[in-house]
Amino acid sequence: MAETYDFRTIERTWQARWEEQGVYCAREDDPREPYYVLVMLPYPSGDLHVGHAKNYTLGDAIARMMRMLGYNVLHPMGWDAFGLPAENAAIARGIDPASWTRSNIANMQRQIRLMGTSYDWSREIATCEPDYYRWNQWLFLRLYENGLAYKREAPVNWCPHDQTVLANEQVIDGRCWRCNNLVERRNLSQWFLKITAYGDRLLNDLDALEGWPERTRLMQRNWIGRSEGVQFSFAVESTDAAIDVFTTRVDTVFGVTFLAIAPEHPVVSTIKDVISKKNAAAIDAFADSLRSKSELERTSLMEKDGFFTGAYAINPLSHERVPIWVTNYVLADYGTGAVMGVPAHDERDFDFAKKHSLPIAQVIVAPGTEITGPLEAAFTADGRLIASGDYSGMSSERARHAIADRFAAMGIGGKMVNFRFRDWLVSRQRYWGTPIPIVYCDRCGEVPVPEDQLPIVLPADVPITGEGSPLARDAAFVNTTCPRCDGPARRESDTMDTFFESSWYYLRYLDPKNATRPWSPDRAKHWMNVDQYIGGAEHAVLHLLYSRFFYKFFRDMGWVEGRDEPFERLFHQGMVLYNGEKMSKSRGNVVGIDETAQKNGVDAMRLFLLYVTPPEDTSDWTDEGISGRVRFLNRVWRACEPFLAAAKSVSPRELPPTSHAEEKALVRAVHVAAKSAIDEVASRRFHFNTTIAKLDELVNAMTGAAQKMPDAPAFLYAVHALPLLLAPYAPHIADELWSRMGYATSIHTERVIEPDDAALTVDEITLVIQVNGKIRARIAAQPGISEEAAFALALTDAHVQTQLDGKQIRKQIYVPDKLVNIVVG
């Protein structure tokens, strides 16, 4: 008999044994129902801390529970390995990004294995390896062939620190999401993916994602931002040019008193030809002043400003001249790059008109009212049209349809659906990413690289200085041969946004060694969709939206079947703080996984992370808390280890005989914990803190029973059952106790204990009796006692009678099977 629990030896032993026996390898020929549980793949940045461990521990507990519930569980792990941190490390330390990344992967893999996780490592992937990013390039070409990948010049978000382009979603409060430096705007020729082509499906299908947090669905709805309106054009006076605008309030078109355009709008060059040189120079100066301003600054932070160009447009219905203004708040790549200014019926336009003394023409009034004087504020509601030609007297709703039809008949516009989000910019001017498979030939133009020439491999030993694109300076990489004409050609030097590879990795796990296709459709049919996806809420708009877009494209191509959503259910875990602050090396408050495993043990760490709060909440790491879980495991050891041989003879699958209340209570505690574990998984709440609290109660009861009735079948039943109950949360000690009972196979191949209604039935409950809200007695009663009987029983207690003596009962309150409160005057 071991006197103490040697967690270090036990944990190392079982981790090696699980790996050797392939306990967690998922097989397609397994007859059990498949279940795919996936934790978002990590970026290999270096050392992990206990905050990272929370995510992996939660996913692992779910995977282990689902295996014990009889499912064939797929639980893989890999590495989102491309990205700027590796390049930054190369610059700062003079090392190769590939070497830095692979070194980090090796360390983090060791740490994740150390956590006792049940990953199927035979499916491990790293997105920086050619056998993975080859399929990034293959997928890009399929998008290109289907008109969903295209190149155009556009204003982009440029991070001057990282020397790369950022997607709009990667700019947070005007700053780069990675380095936190201010972002600038520049015009560059960039590759885009036409995610807006899937806008309606991405929006509408959110309603069916009932297993997702509503907050995440709302964030995606708001980001997509669907609007139904009308797009039409204003002719530019004295030119052949026209300015397109989109509006949801075309009923206000007779109230347009100015057009606001972006200084980068293509029509500006035409306008400059018909205005004074002074105004043309002013436009250039105004545009120059905005080049360093981020999109957020221009649209939200800066005061709305602009100036009159000297040019006019013509209102297509009223035929009035409309002054054209260049403004700082209109963006060339948002919508049409132009906005019709209707000060009387738009708050922003009203403020702009007041500032610049522009006319305010009211053309909508509330039903049953007339204009009584100048507007004090914009009237933004629907109403009745006035001063609107043939449309005067119409309701706003009717006028919107009528005017849209008129523009269509005129051939200058019509109804249109617009989206707030824009196409996904995927070009990056950096080295450590997937090369884009396009070459440029003076004779053939833009040419996709043939499939048999993939992968385009990143060249080694490319100098990385932090300035511009490293690949563009590498002549050996750039200079190539055109695959069509065999003439000289230039290879695309941009690499892909790293969100590209993380938008489909969940499918590569299904078939990671496939050399002929990114995944087998048969394997996708077997495993998809992901049953439970787990990761941070910070990915609500980026990764999750892009993954949904890709999967819908895959469904359209016939590469996957069934529902065109990749993730059936989604769970966002909370953070782990230390002393109330986020863990970081700069603060010096990082609690490392290695040190925690060495000092307290992995099982104790896992139990603390699952126990301290519900998993979606932010929790605080405390020395006291982890010490409490260490003490708990030692109590488990003392309550079980000396009795294992005897306990083997009492099956955990059959209720033991019980002769008195304490034995019944012990058996019931086993089934209360078993029911809690199953309920938390079935409900998808994953509040394993509740289950572990039930295990605390069970172990406390077992500790007492070990002294009073060590030979009782009920106690030995609990000893045999406890490892099964602990297995998803503390897998090492569970397998050790199981093995010491003489079992040759791992406990993690066993089924859960199914809660038995007979064991859960309570023979007697305790009623708390209050008088005027103060506890005066506790009385034993039969479960399900009626309110009348409970009240009568309470009146028999001497302490209650003393409190009621001579007083009038005004009210009685009954909480079934729990409480009677008698209110007296």
Side-chain angles (χ1 to χ4, degrees), residues 718-796:
V719 170
H720 203 156
L722 183 58
L724 291 165
L725 298 172
L726 274 174
Y729 322 115
H732 306 88
I733 193 172
D735 231 343
E736 180 69 15
L737 294 172
W738 195 249
S739 175
R740 289 183 181 228
M741 269 190 279
Y743 288 100
T745 55
S746 171
I747 196 170
H748 302 296
T749 63
E750 297 290 325
R751 285 190 65 94
V752 296
I753 294 175
E754 297 287 349
D756 190 304
D757 290 340
L760 291 168
T761 299
V762 179
D763 294 332
E764 188 178 85
I765 54 98
T766 299
L767 281 178
V768 175
I769 312 301
Q770 295 179 338
V771 178
N772 287 345
K774 293 185 177 181
I775 298 175
R776 299 303 180 184
R778 288 183 171 84
I779 301 175
Q782 292 293 317
I785 186 172
S786 68
E787 180 175 354
E788 182 181 358
F791 182 65
L793 186 61
L795 295 180
T796 66

Side-chain angles (χ1 to χ4, degrees), residues 218-239:
L218 180 61
M219 289 175 70
Q220 288 208 6
R221 287 190 188 99
N222 291 340
W223 186 260
I224 294 168
R226 186 182 192 274
S227 300
E228 294 184 2
V230 175
Q231 185 165 310
F232 66 99
S233 60
F234 287 78
V236 179
E237 190 178 61
S238 303
T239 75

Side-chain angles (χ1 to χ4, degrees), residues 185-204:
R185 300 286 288 174
R186 292 190 182 182
N187 278 327
L188 290 175
S189 184
Q190 302 289 299
W191 283 98
F192 291 82
L193 298 185
K194 198 170 181 58
I195 189 173
T196 53
Y198 284 76
D200 278 322
R201 287 169 64 184
L202 288 167
L203 181 65
N204 295 336

Side-chain angles (χ1 to χ4, degrees), residues 87 91 158 162-163 429-431 459 461-479 491-494:
E87 287 198 32
I91 296 167
W158 176 262
D162 289 333
Q163 294 285 299
Q429 290 68 46
R430 59 179 178 236
Y431 166 75
D461 303 321
V462 174
I464 301 173
T465 64
E467 298 180 0
S469 168
L471 292 178
R473 297 193 301 267
D474 188 341
F477 175 80
V478 172
N479 295 325
R491 199 180 296 282
E492 172 63 73
S493 60
D494 283 359

